[in-house]
Amino acid sequence: MPDSVSDVGEFGLIDAVTARFPQGDGVVVGPGDDAAIIAVGSGRVVVTTDMLVEGRHFRRDWSSARDIGRKAAAQNLSDIAAMGARATAITVGLGAPGDLDVAWTLELADGMRDECARVGASVIGGDMVSSETVVLAITALGELDGLEPVLRSGARAGDVLAVCGRLGWAEAGLRVLSRGFRSPRALVDAHRCPEVPYDAGPEAATLGATAMCDVSDGLLADAGHLAESSHVRIDIERERLEITEAMREVGSALGADPMTWVLTGGDDNAMLATFPAQVPLPERWRVIGRVYDGEGVRVDGAPYEGDAGHVHFS
Ligand SMILES: [Mg+2]
């Protein structure tokens, strides 16, 4: 029988988890005291928090503990990047059933550690409680490195809308898993953990992005957040959106239109930003639309018919 969380006890488990988190240069006091202390070079701290609940945001039979740990960290690290910042540290709150395997929990910790390592962030602390299902609450901290933060509210008529990263992959993977399939692997893996272009966030800030967010709820929903905060209208052009061959194949196998996943699928954590039209953009930033006076989001000039993406508390 593997050790369960209740066999090891809260403090034993916290010690075992903490031992897996190397501490970066910016950490003055790491895990083990009442609170951690991190150095802040610029004098400004970017903070975000996000929760994941088993059954609603992940399933233990669809994703490994490692993937769940990576995804949970990625969602928070992505929000830091979407401000134009570089993540430096996360803290983790974990609710865990008493009969949860210790090995599963340590794998979860490894996933968080590995995703944080991609951006040079440290896991600096957290807490653990018993709960009926696995619940994760992560707080991420970030550093602007002297850049101005890119808010959602700065888009102006005449700007272009550009995206860096994947759209629709995670949703396609989720549809595949929901039908009981395990391939195409690239799409299934994209649902299990996003490939976030973290450095595109600070890059956009450097390039002079006027507004930015990451695509967690879906392209139309998140473009809608930019439009609403900036008091502008955003038009997206379908022909500029990329549908991969794998997505096309899954679409025809499932009798679904993959364009719907690209427009409304969440969880890929692409960076979505507006830029003044004259800014030359690096190749990985694809222009997919334009900003106009007005309000709301349009697709090819018309209101989108259908569900625009993930709605919280639906
Ligand atoms: Mg976000």
Side-chain angles (χ1 to χ4, degrees):
M1 276 291 280
D3 280 344
S4 69
V5 167
S6 55
D7 294 337
V8 178
E10 181 192 351
F11 294 110
L13 187 57
I14 287 177
D15 284 347
V17 167
T18 302
R20 309 172 95 78
F21 297 144
Q23 300 300 307
D25 289 344
V27 181
V28 182
V29 176
D33 216 305
D34 293 292
I37 300 177
I38 57 167
V40 183
S42 67
R44 294 194 285 191
V45 182
V46 183
V47 186
T48 182
T49 192
D50 207 13
M51 290 186 72
L52 284 95
V53 175
E54 180 177 8
R56 181 168 176 87
H57 301 104
F58 63 87
R59 283 176 49 160
R60 276 192 270 157
D61 56 339
W62 282 359
S63 300
S64 68
R66 192 190 161 78
D67 284 332
I68 294 165
R70 281 190 61 199
K71 184 171 185 168
Q75 290 184 345
N76 285 272
L77 300 172
S78 173
D79 276 329
I80 296 287
M83 298 301 289
R86 173 177 61 84
T88 52
I90 69 169
T91 62
V92 182
L94 172 66
D99 62 356
L100 190 68
D101 287 353
V102 168
W104 191 94
T105 312
L106 296 180
E107 231 192 276
L108 179 83
D110 289 348
M112 291 181 199
R113 177 197 60 205
D114 294 349
E115 193 66 18
C116 283
R118 294 190 58 209
V119 293
S122 304
V123 185
I124 56 168
D127 192 19
M128 206 173 286
V129 297
S130 78
S131 69
E132 277 168 31
T133 58
V134 178
V135 178
L136 280 161
I138 296 186
T139 297
L141 307 170
E143 164 80 67
L144 284 158
D145 292 322
L147 295 169
E148 284 303 309
V150 183
L151 311 184
R152 294 180 173 192
S153 53
R156 295 291 169 262
D159 287 351
V160 295
L161 178 74
V163 70
C164 178
R166 298 166 165 179
L167 293 172
W169 288 49
E171 181 66 25
L174 178 62
R175 298 302 173 99
V176 166
L177 286 166
S178 303
R179 295 288 187 95
F181 302 111
R182 290 286 187 273
S183 67
R185 189 63 193 270
L187 298 179
V188 169
D189 284 350
H191 162 75
R192 290 175 171 147
C193 179
E195 285 288 330
V196 185
Y198 294 110
D199 58 336
E203 178 180 59
T206 306
L207 290 165
T210 50
M212 180 159 56
C213 64
D214 66 334
V215 182
S216 50
D217 294 343
L219 174 61
L220 294 182
D222 287 306
H225 297 144
L226 295 181
E228 192 177 353
S229 297
S230 299
H231 306 289
V232 292
R233 191 182 92 219
I234 294 180
D235 277 28
I236 292 169
E237 294 167 41
R238 272 192 185 84
E239 66 166 29
R240 292 176 177 267
L241 298 172
E242 187 192 13
I243 296 177
T244 65
E245 195 47 46
M247 243 184 259
R248 241 181 260 286
E249 282 167 19
V250 170
S252 56
L254 302 184
D257 178 5
M259 180 56 79
T260 309
W261 305 333
V262 172
L263 288 170
T264 66
D267 282 353
D268 287 301
N269 300 90
M271 294 294 138
L272 181 69
T274 55
F275 297 90
Q278 71 274 14
V279 171
L281 295 176
E283 201 177 327
R284 65 177 176 164
W285 283 93
R286 304 184 313 276
V287 172
I288 59 168
R290 235 165 228 292
V291 180
Y292 298 91
D293 286 323
E295 61 179 28
V297 175
R298 293 181 180 216
V299 180
D300 295 331
Y304 183 72
E305 303 292 336
D307 184 3
H310 180 72
V311 180
H312 297 275
F313 298 106
S314 61

